[in-house]
């Protein structure tokens, strides 16, 4: 067998711990797949006394990144720390020191992809990042290799395991948002700062990476409009259910007349559709290519071993030399690509779910319908449940499903509705996909 590939891990938390476990507990399996042993030489952490997922000898554990940078027996380093600035500096230094890099850090790639990829090209190194999107699902390999003959037309994904775990727990177990978030954190799904999970930023980071690969353009994070799940009210989950839908945090991008549309938002999905059935920390990505047509990828999107599976696959590809070849050919995050033309969100047409809290008195429904009509929005169905108490001053939920409408018109209508004295609180609305 050939010389071992010397590997170091920066970070040995949820993901790094899983990678160390696979490397140390299955060396023969990995050596057979890589054509040579993957030798774990060093593991950099903050706290040497913390318990780890697998037994690590005292000689390989260190708090000093310099030991990895200076170690000629380390050829590949997996950055599994997270955050942006420290990781950025570390990756740039590792590349300059002649190391190939594996990373699970979507925040780093979405915000500094061009810089770190340019640095890798400059130093003749490669960066592998399968674990950065959708955990254990091999979506990066699928887009860069298996579907390479296609023009990708659209990608739709449930890309944040934490949000999907929370929405599933709220929908199916009636758990509160706070309880479900705590459980997602305890299971190792959430980011160190879970705001990134629940406000749609983590899904937007992943969408920026996928869109960059699919369309060959640098996609700035600022081009992706995003909303998260942090303000989802359980009442909307109940109304969606009554209408035959579930609420999911969806990341979507598609080509439209030479422009790219992109957004992350909670949406109503019909219950029987494949993405609606993705539960817990599972992720899924539905891809449409011009040749292959529809393909669906499904698997665990977060957690220790699923994510470690993706990192170790990258280590094996680097050991074989596959990554270096695709990396040089694809020129990802290169400034040479065509300029990105983003479809303005206001011009996107979709159906909407709209919930208003209104005064239960004559004329209110016609007032609301009138404003929607003035904005060219046609109503598909309405729910207003009778309230038991017929008292004066009663308020009720008025739920309206629209036909397809321009987002710009719909938002303008909501602004008007929110000003009505008969509307008690800001309108709640989500796109609907059938
Ligand atoms: P984590 O559990 O918080 O682990 C972070 C590790 O980095 C810890 O071992 C920590 O050391 C170490 N670390 C932090 N700052 C350091 C520093 N300045 N110097 C040296 N070591 C440092 O995080 P994680 O969940 O594994 O996530 C790691 C990366 O993978 C992130 O980019 C995340 O977005 C990404 N990711 C995570 C998942 C998931 O399911 N968790 C899935 C896909 C991608 P100590 O242990 O000593 O504190
Ligand atoms: N926090 C991320 C999630 C980890 O919940 O999906 C996987 O990238």
């Amino acid at each position: 067998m050939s010389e071992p590939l010397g590997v170091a891990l920066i970070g040995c938390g949820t993901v790094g711990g899983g990678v160390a476990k696979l490397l140390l507990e299955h060396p023969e399996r990995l050596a057979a797949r890589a054509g040579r042993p993957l030798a774990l030489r060093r593991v950099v952490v903050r706290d040497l006394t913390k318990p780890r997922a697998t037994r690590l000898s005292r000689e390989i554990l260190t708090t000093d990144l310099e030991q990895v940078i200076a170690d000629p027996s380390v050829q590949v380093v997996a950055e599994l720390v997270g955050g942006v600035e420290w990781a950025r500096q570390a990756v740039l230094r590792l590349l300059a020191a002649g190391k190939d890099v594996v990373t699970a850090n979507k925040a780093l790639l979405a915000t500094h992809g061009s810089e770190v990829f340019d640095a890798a090209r400059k130093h003749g190194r490669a960066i592998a990042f399968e674990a950065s999107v959708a955990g254990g699902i091999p979506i990066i390999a699928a887009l860069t290799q298996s579907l390479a003959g296609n023009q990708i037309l659209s990608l739709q994904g449930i890309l944040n395991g934490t949000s999907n775990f929370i929405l599933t727990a709220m929908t199916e177990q009636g758990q509160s948002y706070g309880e479900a978030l705590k459980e997602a954190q305890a299971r190792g799904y959430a980011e160190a700062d879970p705001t990134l999970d629940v406000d749609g930023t983590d899904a937007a980071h992943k969408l920026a990476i996928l869109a960059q690969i699919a369309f060959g353009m640098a996609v700035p994070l600022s081009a992706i409009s995003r909303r998260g799940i942090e303000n989802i009210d359980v009442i909307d989950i109940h109304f969606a259910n009554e209408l035959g839908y579930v609420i999911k945090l969806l990341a979507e991008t598609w080509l439209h007349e030479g422009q790219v549309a992109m957004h992350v938002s909670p949406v109503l999905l019909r219950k029987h559709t494949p993405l609606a059935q993705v539960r817990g920390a599972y992720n899924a990505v539905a891809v449409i290519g011009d040749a292959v047509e529809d393909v669906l990828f499904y698997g665990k999107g977060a957690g220790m071993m699923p994510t470690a599976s993706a990192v170790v696959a990258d280590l094996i590809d680097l050991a074989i030399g596959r990554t270096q070849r695709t990396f040089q050919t694809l020129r990802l995050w290169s400034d040479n690509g065509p300029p990105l033309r983003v479809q303005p969100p206001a011009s996107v047409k979709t159906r909407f779910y709209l919930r208003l809290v209104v005064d239960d008195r004559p004329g209110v429904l016609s007032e609301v319908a009138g404003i929607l009509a003035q904005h060219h929005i046609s109503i598909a169905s309405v729910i207003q449940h009778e309230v038991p108490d017929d008292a004066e001053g009663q308020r009720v939920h008025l739920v309206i499903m629209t036909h397809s409408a321009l987002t710009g018109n719909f938002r303008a209508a909501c602004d008007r509705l929110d000003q009505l004295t008969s509307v008690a609180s800001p309108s709640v609305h989500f796109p609907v996909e059938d």
Side-chain angles (χ1 to χ4, degrees):
M1 196 167 278
S2 321
E3 281 289 289
L5 179 76
V7 175
L9 307 181
I10 316 285
C12 194
T14 303
V15 182
V19 175
K21 213 167 146 56
L22 272 180
L23 291 175
L24 296 177
E25 294 177 12
H26 300 283
E28 291 88 13
R29 181 209 295 175
L30 303 187
R33 309 277 161 79
R36 53 179 164 148
L38 302 182
L40 183 58
R41 308 245 199 245
R42 298 205 181 253
V43 177
V44 184
V45 292
R46 263 180 316 204
D47 178 354
L48 293 173
T49 63
K50 258 194 199 172
R52 304 288 161 190
T54 192
R55 250 183 82 80
L56 294 171
S57 72
R58 185 60 193 86
E59 294 81 68
I60 65 170
L61 262 182
T62 175
T63 55
D64 185 7
L65 177 65
E66 300 307 319
Q67 289 190 13
V68 171
I69 290 172
D71 187 343
S73 76
V74 170
Q75 288 95 42
V76 179
V77 181
E79 180 279 301
L80 306 168
V81 169
V84 174
E85 199 39 45
W86 192 91
R88 171 179 163 264
Q89 297 288 351
V91 166
L92 292 173
R93 295 202 52 213
L94 291 161
L95 292 167
K99 320 285 185 197
D100 290 322
V101 168
V102 175
T103 182
N105 192 335
K106 52 271 162 151
L108 173 67
L109 297 183
T111 52
H112 294 285
S114 299
E115 184 186 17
V116 293
F117 275 64
D118 279 345
R121 282 186 281 267
K122 181 174 142 202
H123 297 296
R125 305 316 325 158
I127 299 177
F129 52 100
E130 184 63 72
S132 66
V133 181
I137 302 176
I139 187 65
I140 305 296
L143 290 175
T144 54
Q145 296 165 37
S146 318
L147 297 176
N150 287 262
Q151 170 61 59
I152 300 301
L153 303 176
S154 73
L155 289 157
Q156 268 189 318
I158 292 178
L159 297 180
N160 185 264
T162 301
S163 297
N164 204 53
F165 181 87
I166 294 171
L167 289 176
T168 308
M170 288 171 76
T171 306
E172 295 180 10
Q173 288 117 44
Q175 244 184 355
S176 75
Y177 172 87
E179 279 166 358
L181 172 58
K182 254 195 206 144
E183 195 175 333
Q185 287 178 292
R187 290 177 181 224
Y189 303 149
E191 297 302 303
D193 173 6
T195 316
L196 299 176
D197 292 296
V198 296
D199 76 357
T201 303
D202 178 74
H205 287 153
K206 293 164 177 167
L207 188 63
I209 295 170
L210 294 183
Q212 144 81 39
I213 298 170
F215 305 125
M217 313 163 171
V219 176
L221 201 56
S222 57
I224 302 176
S225 73
R226 60 183 181 272
R227 278 173 73 187
I229 64 157
E230 68 272 57
N231 296 320
I232 289 196
D233 193 316
V234 77
I235 194 141
D236 294 305
I237 292 176
H238 292 320
F239 276 121
N241 179 49
E242 187 176 338
L243 289 156
Y245 293 84
V246 287
I247 300 181
K248 292 285 181 192
L249 184 72
L250 205 65
E252 296 184 90
T253 181
W254 64 93
L255 275 182
H256 175 79
E257 296 171 354
Q259 297 183 321
V260 178
M262 285 176 289
H263 74 109
V264 173
S265 172
V267 299
L268 268 70
L269 293 178
R270 276 234 188 256
K271 278 182 197 170
H272 63 264
T273 56
L275 290 180
Q277 291 171 41
V278 176
R279 301 170 58 248
Y282 279 84
N283 280 192
V285 190
V287 181
I288 302 180
D290 61 351
V292 70
E293 301 182 10
D294 306 54
V295 202
L296 182 65
F297 300 86
Y298 171 81
K300 284 253 168 89
M304 178 179 277
M305 296 319 291
T307 314
S309 158
V311 173
V312 170
D314 277 347
L315 293 172
I316 291 173
D317 276 356
L318 279 161
I320 292 171
R322 269 198 293 252
T323 311
Q324 291 83 341
R325 297 183 71 174
T326 45
F327 188 80
Q328 293 305 332
T329 313
L330 280 172
R331 300 198 66 75
L332 292 168
W333 273 279
S334 139
D335 284 336
N336 302 336
L340 177 71
R341 295 180 55 225
V342 181
Q343 182 184 4
S347 71
V348 172
K349 276 189 104 174
T350 182
R351 296 183 66 204
F352 286 96
Y353 162 99
L354 168 66
R355 178 173 60 83
L356 302 168
V357 180
V358 296
D359 293 343
D360 190 13
R361 60 170 169 75
V364 171
L365 187 55
S366 90
E367 214 176 4
V368 170
I371 288 179
L372 292 175
Q374 284 159 25
H375 291 83
H376 313 287
I377 295 159
S378 170
I379 293 172
S381 67
V382 178
I383 301 178
Q384 182 187 315
H385 291 305
E386 210 168 308
V387 282
D389 179 3
D390 203 12
E392 217 173 288
Q394 187 72 257
R395 286 186 172 145
V396 286
H397 294 285
L398 176 63
V399 172
I400 294 176
M401 294 288 272
T402 76
H403 286 296
S404 190
L406 281 170
T407 300
N409 287 352
F410 180 78
R411 290 204 180 134
C414 289
D415 288 346
R416 286 277 311 281
L417 290 169
D418 288 346
Q419 287 161 16
L420 293 177
T421 52
S422 53
V423 172
S425 51
S427 51
V428 174
H429 47 84
F430 306 111
V432 177
E433 306 219 351
D434 288 298

